Structures are given as C-alpha cells and as structure tokens.
Amino acid sequence: MKKSRDGDLANTALEAASPPRGTTESLAADADPDSGPRGDLSSLGSDSEINGFVNGDQKIDKYGFVGGAQYTGDLQHEVPPEVLRQRESKWLDMLNNWDKWMAKKYKKVKLRCQKGIPPSLRGRAWQYLSGSKVKMEQNHGKFDEMDRSPGDPTWLDVIERDLHRQFPFHEMFIARGGHGQQDLYRVLKAYTIYRPEEGYCQAQAPIAAVLLMHMPAEQAFWCLVQICEKYLPGYYSAGLEAIQLDGEIFFALLRKVSPVAHKHLNKYKIDPILYMTEWFMCAFSRTLPWVSVLRIWDMFFCEGVKVIFRVGLILLKYTLGSSEKLKKCQGQYETMEKLRSIDPRYMQDGFLVREIIELPITEREVEKEHLIQLKKWKDTHGDLKYQPPPRLHGAKAINEAEPHSQKALVQMPSIVVHSPPVSPDSGSNSKKKKDKKMSKEQKKEQKKQKKTGKVETVANGSTADETNRILKDEQNVTQPVEFAKELNQSMLKKDTQLQQSEQSLSSEETEQDTYL
C-alpha cells in the first residue's frame, strides 16, 4: 500500500480554504456587517439572529441546524416525553453515583448509552464517560491560563482559516466572529499550547465544534484532550502515522466482515486512507445524519474506538458487499464516487445502531490486529516517529486507569446569578406588616375566647394555657410582672431574628444554578 502522502493526508480529507488572519478579539472586530447574509452584527446576541434566521427565513431544527446535509427538519422520530423523563431520571441517578455504577453496573451503563443519552444530559454524560470531568478538576485554572496566553501565531493563522468551515449551517457557527467561532478558536488555540509538539490538525476542528454544541469552552477543551490522548492517540500528530496504521487494521478486519468488499478494494488498489481518513479522524461527524452522529458518539465515549471501526465496516459491507452492488463500480473512480454517496438507508440511526451492536468486532481483535500491523509497519517503515500513549478502549478502561477522588465528580455550578440589591428599609417595612398582622390575629382570638368564656388572657396577649406552659419551663419566674417582662423580651428577640432572616434572604448573596 502507498504511504507517500504523510503531510497531506488531512488536506486530502479536509479541503483547504484561505480567509483572513487574527486573534479572538479580531474575530468579532473584523466581522464585516456586509459580509454575512444579512444586517449589522454589532447589536444582536445570537449567531442565528445575526444572520436573520429568526425572522422566518429558515426554520431551525431541534439540533440548531438551519440547512445543509445534517438538517433534520420535522421528519425525525421523537422519543415520547414520558420515556424521555424516565431516561433522564435514570441517568441522573447514574451520574450522581458514577463510581458505583462504573464499578458494579458497567453493562447497564453501556446498554443505556446504546439506547441514546437524553439530550439534556448528553454533555455532562460525555464528560463523565471520557474522564474529562476529572481531568478538568485536576487541572483547575489551567484552561483560563492558556486562554490568556497569546499562543503560536503560526498555528493561530491556520486555526482561523478553518473556523468558518465547521458546520456552517449550524446556528452556533453560522456567523463570522460569532460566539461559536470565538469559543472554537479558544479551544483549538488552547490545545496548541497544551500540546505544542502536536500543534493543530484540521480534523480537530469538527470534533471540538461538536463538543461545543453540548458544553462550555473549558469542558469542551478537556473533552477534546481525552479524545486526542485516550480514544484516538496519535491521530492528530505530525505525519498522521496512527491513522495510517489504523487504516491497515481496518482493511484487515474488512476481510473478516466482508470478503467481497475487501477483494474489490484490493483489486483496484484503493488504499483505506483514501476513504476512511475523514470517517475516523472526525468520528463520522461530517459524514452521517446528525441523529446518527449523536447516537454513535454516545456509544463511542462508552465503548471506545471499536465503535468507529464497526461503523466503517458496516458502511463498506452494505455499499460494496455484493456482486450486484459492484456492477456499477468497475474502477477506482466509480468506487470512490459510490463511497462518497452512500445510500441514506445505511446511515440511519436505527439501522446503524442495531448493526453496530450485532457486529462481532471486539477491542481484543482490534488490539491483536494492531500488533500484527505494527510489526509489518516496522519492517517496511522502521519505528514510528511519534510514539503515542496507549489507546484506552472506552469509559471503563479510562476510569480504571485514572483513579480519582469523589470530589472530582461533584457537579460544580456553571451559572452564577446575583440578586438585585434591596433597600435598607425593606426589612423594617416587612417587620411592621408582620407585627400588624399578628396584632389583628391576637385581637380576633381574644374576642373569640371572651365569647366562649373558657379561656383567660394575660397582659401580653398570650392565653392562660400558653402562660402555664412557659412558666413550667422558666424556673426563676416568681412574679406575674417579671414573667410578663421576660415574655415581652422573648417576643422582641423572636421579631429581631425574623427581621435578620428576611434581610439575609434578600441580601446580595449569590444564587447558583447548574448545567444538567
């Protein structure tokens, strides 16, 4: 197989572009009001508003897409609300007792990932599955530090040229200089600082963009780190040796899954790197319908890279796996065109998930084939120039390899709301109203008791029974006058506590809410 495309493999899969250069600040400052589809960018908040899509020009689907190949519209099958609420309740219980579930009930976690993570909890679940939540807590303040750093101008130039190409039909990234593009820039820049020896690879941009659709920038960064270091190590390093090696592994596994497809591709000398680079490096985020992308990512975070292998094998099996289907693919060009336009039936989430679960390709088989292909690689190319860390196959392996404290999994608040200031007179006003209300109630009670003639009152408005009860508790009370005096003091003390309590509730203390 040919290996002469080392530095240009990413460009083969991800097309080049050439917009202007700059920094995070310039992304917003350079946004030309006339460059977008509509209107002035300065006074509007969301990126969809900036481009006028909220005015009825284009309906936004439930995932934030306004068009393009991944726009779902209203055709998508909806999970019944009651089923969704049940799943959310189960996932909340798992996330709140994560270590226990991973240690004793991992099979149940895997099953629930296969069913699909509830949208409201997907971002949080991905962080727990990947171990990025723990990683972030262990590196508290690191992202902010890197965010303030200027970074390498060479990488920043390349990153900025790629920003507008990431999901251009999604409301979060649709505007040049919009909120989504700025956060994407921050995440990718931080990675070049965190791993200067790797720098930036084009395929990281769609990965980071998908993460930003589900979580804030800091969480997305640490999730990207886990994908690059644990799930797909070496994929984004110079030379892209890891993806070439996985291409050989993939082709060897294809012989077992679909001998017909393997024979056809081998006949026309179609290297795996020609069709699987974008699939694997972008985790199918630019290939499949959006619902399928989310379902596959749910399983990928739980079970690891074998899910990506299975998806690719399934697509080849059903696209090139029979002589009937190969009649129109008599040549390299025709075959590549067929792989660029896979039948939508084979990319639907229901079909794919069922096939993924049933396909018997395990992490053990992937690792066994990895050792075989690594030996062949060394025989023909020598040692790998970049030695990536060992690949971990999913959430369980990551959880066992990286011990952590329970505190690292505590969900910290992401939104802080400050209460408006309250005037000093508000506490005294509420006290006066309360006193007035209590006085009215006491008079009403006295009137009622005098009518019946059964209850006798004392000077402070308390009933005789209440007085007897308090007298028993107070050992030093010998005279009615002293008792009345102390009881009045007690009432005043209670009123003072009520006032202080009301003032503290209306003070400028922060109220906190959290992301699910």
Side-chain angles (χ1 to χ4, degrees):
M1 297 187 66
K2 300 175 184 177
K3 302 292 185 302
S4 61
R5 292 176 288 277
D6 282 4
D8 299 325
L9 291 175
N11 290 333
T12 302
L14 307 167
E15 305 164 356
S18 57
R21 60 174 66 184
T23 62
T24 309
E25 291 75 16
S26 69
L27 287 176
D30 293 344
D32 183 359
D34 298 325
S35 64
R38 299 167 180 81
D40 181 14
L41 306 185
S42 59
S43 62
L44 295 170
S46 75
D47 299 336
S48 58
E49 287 176 330
I50 289 172
N51 288 273
F53 286 105
V54 295
N55 296 327
D57 294 3
Q58 174 67 55
K59 188 175 180 181
I60 301 174
D61 72 8
K62 62 184 287 187
Y63 302 105
F65 287 94
V66 296
Q70 291 172 316
Y71 177 74
T72 58
D74 298 324
L75 302 176
Q76 189 57 40
H77 172 69
E78 295 285 346
V79 178
E82 59 276 9
V83 175
L84 196 57
R85 297 292 88 80
Q86 288 176 1
R87 289 183 182 176
E88 286 173 340
S89 177
K90 291 175 181 178
W91 269 95
L92 282 170
D93 177 59
M94 285 201 308
L95 294 171
N96 292 331
N97 301 279
W98 188 248
D99 285 336
K100 189 184 296 182
W101 279 85
M102 289 301 294
K104 298 180 179 179
K105 300 181 180 180
Y106 171 70
K107 288 184 179 179
K108 194 72 173 177
V109 176
K110 184 169 78 170
L111 179 63
R112 288 178 180 175
C113 287
Q114 290 171 353
K115 288 182 178 180
I117 301 171
S120 60
L121 295 168
R122 183 168 272 126
R124 184 178 169 190
W126 286 357
Q127 292 175 60
Y128 278 58
L129 288 163
S130 67
S132 65
K133 178 73 169 66
V134 173
K135 190 89 169 179
M136 183 174 69
E137 294 304 323
Q138 291 172 346
N139 293 273
H140 185 70
K142 179 75 172 174
F143 177 77
D144 291 333
E145 179 187 324
M146 294 184 292
D147 196 26
R148 291 189 295 268
S149 176
D152 185 340
T154 307
W155 290 125
L156 303 186
D157 205 36
V158 180
I159 290 170
E160 196 163 340
R161 286 203 301 268
D162 284 344
L163 292 179
H164 78 290
R165 296 163 52 211
Q166 312 311 322
F167 303 102
F169 289 101
H170 192 278
E171 63 170 349
M172 191 172 176
F173 304 101
I174 206 165
R176 168 145 180 87
H179 307 301
Q181 287 197 11
Q182 290 187 42
D183 280 349
L184 182 57
Y185 178 89
R186 293 169 60 209
V187 170
L188 296 174
K189 184 194 84 168
Y191 191 84
T192 65
I193 298 169
Y194 185 74
R195 286 283 179 263
E197 70 280 7
E198 287 189 27
Y200 165 71
C201 175
Q202 286 177 313
Q204 288 174 314
I207 296 285
V210 175
L211 295 172
L212 282 169
M213 293 178 197
H214 296 86
M215 61 191 80
E218 184 178 9
Q219 286 91 319
F221 168 76
W222 291 112
C223 212
L224 175 66
V225 167
Q226 290 296 90
I227 290 173
C228 295
E229 293 184 352
K230 309 299 180 187
Y231 289 86
L232 308 173
Y235 266 37
Y236 310 104
S237 59
L240 304 176
E241 292 174 322
I243 190 67
Q244 294 183 68
L245 193 60
D246 271 3
E248 301 298 334
I249 296 169
F250 179 78
F251 200 61
L253 293 173
L254 181 63
R255 185 189 291 114
K256 300 176 183 178
V257 174
S258 179
V260 175
H262 179 273
K263 184 179 178 181
H264 178 81
L265 293 169
N266 197 40
K267 176 183 177 181
Y268 292 106
K269 295 181 172 54
I270 302 174
D271 292 350
I273 208 71
L274 295 175
Y275 54 83
M276 56 80 70
T277 304
E278 184 178 272
W279 290 359
F280 277 55
M281 293 184 77
C282 301
F284 290 97
S285 61
R286 290 164 55 115
T287 307
L288 300 174
W290 196 247
V291 180
S292 300
V293 171
L294 297 178
R295 293 291 302 277
I296 285 166
W297 277 48
D298 290 346
M299 297 170 68
F300 167 64
F301 276 116
C302 182
E303 301 177 54
V305 75
K306 72 177 181 185
V307 173
I308 303 298
F309 276 96
R310 287 180 182 182
V311 174
L313 293 169
I314 290 162
L315 293 180
L316 286 182
K317 174 184 174 182
Y318 284 96
T319 303
L320 304 173
S322 69
S323 55
E324 185 69 27
K325 292 171 182 176
L326 294 177
K327 286 180 180 178
K328 296 180 181 179
C329 300
Q330 300 302 315
Q332 189 181 77
Y333 175 80
E334 291 82 3
T335 302
M336 288 302 297
E337 283 300 304
K338 184 79 171 175
L339 291 176
R340 289 190 187 102
S341 56
I342 296 172
D343 191 325
R345 291 177 300 169
Y346 306 139
M347 298 193 291
Q348 294 305 311
D349 60 303
F351 173 83
L352 266 181
V353 169
R354 184 174 65 253
E355 290 292 325
I356 290 168
I357 294 170
E358 292 177 356
L359 192 66
I361 295 295
T362 65
E363 52 261 32
R364 183 176 294 179
E365 288 181 271
V366 172
E367 285 304 311
K368 180 182 176 182
E369 198 61 49
H370 175 82
L371 294 174
I372 294 170
Q373 297 303 328
L374 184 60
K375 187 176 183 300
K376 289 182 179 179
W377 178 279
K378 288 180 178 180
D379 292 341
T380 55
H381 297 82
D383 290 333
L384 294 170
K385 294 176 184 177
Y386 177 78
Q387 295 290 340
R391 177 156 52 197
L392 297 180
H393 290 271
K396 189 170 178 64
I398 292 171
N399 193 65
E400 291 172 351
E402 299 181 340
H404 56 269
S405 64
Q406 184 63 32
K407 186 180 177 182
L409 289 173
V410 174
Q411 185 69 2
M412 300 300 290
S414 299
I415 301 174
V416 178
V417 181
H418 295 278
S419 301
V422 181
S423 61
D425 296 335
S426 61
S428 59
N429 289 339
S430 62
K431 179 181 179 298
K432 287 177 183 177
K433 287 180 182 177
K434 195 165 187 70
D435 287 345
K436 191 174 180 182
K437 186 178 179 182
M438 286 177 65
S439 178
K440 283 183 179 179
E441 288 177 357
Q442 285 176 352
K443 285 180 181 179
K444 191 175 179 181
E445 188 65 27
Q446 286 177 16
K447 203 172 182 181
K448 185 179 178 183
Q449 289 167 355
K450 281 179 181 178
K451 266 187 181 179
T452 57
K454 292 181 181 177
V455 183
E456 185 182 336
T457 60
V458 292
N460 65 350
S462 300
T463 64
D465 290 338
E466 288 173 336
T467 303
N468 290 333
R469 179 174 52 79
I470 296 171
L471 280 170
K472 287 178 183 177
D473 296 334
E474 299 288 342
Q475 296 177 356
N476 297 326
V477 175
T478 55
Q479 298 294 333
V481 176
E482 291 175 354
F483 160 72
K485 185 178 177 181
E486 287 188 17
L487 193 57
N488 280 330
Q489 289 175 349
S490 175
M491 294 293 287
L492 284 170
K493 186 178 179 182
K494 187 182 284 187
D495 287 340
T496 305
Q497 290 173 345
L498 281 168
Q499 181 182 349
Q500 290 173 348
S501 176
E502 288 168 358
Q503 286 176 341
S504 67
L505 285 172
S506 59
S507 67
E508 292 185 12
E509 290 180 0
T510 57
E511 297 176 4
Q512 296 178 331
D513 194 6
T514 62
Y515 279 92
L516 287 174

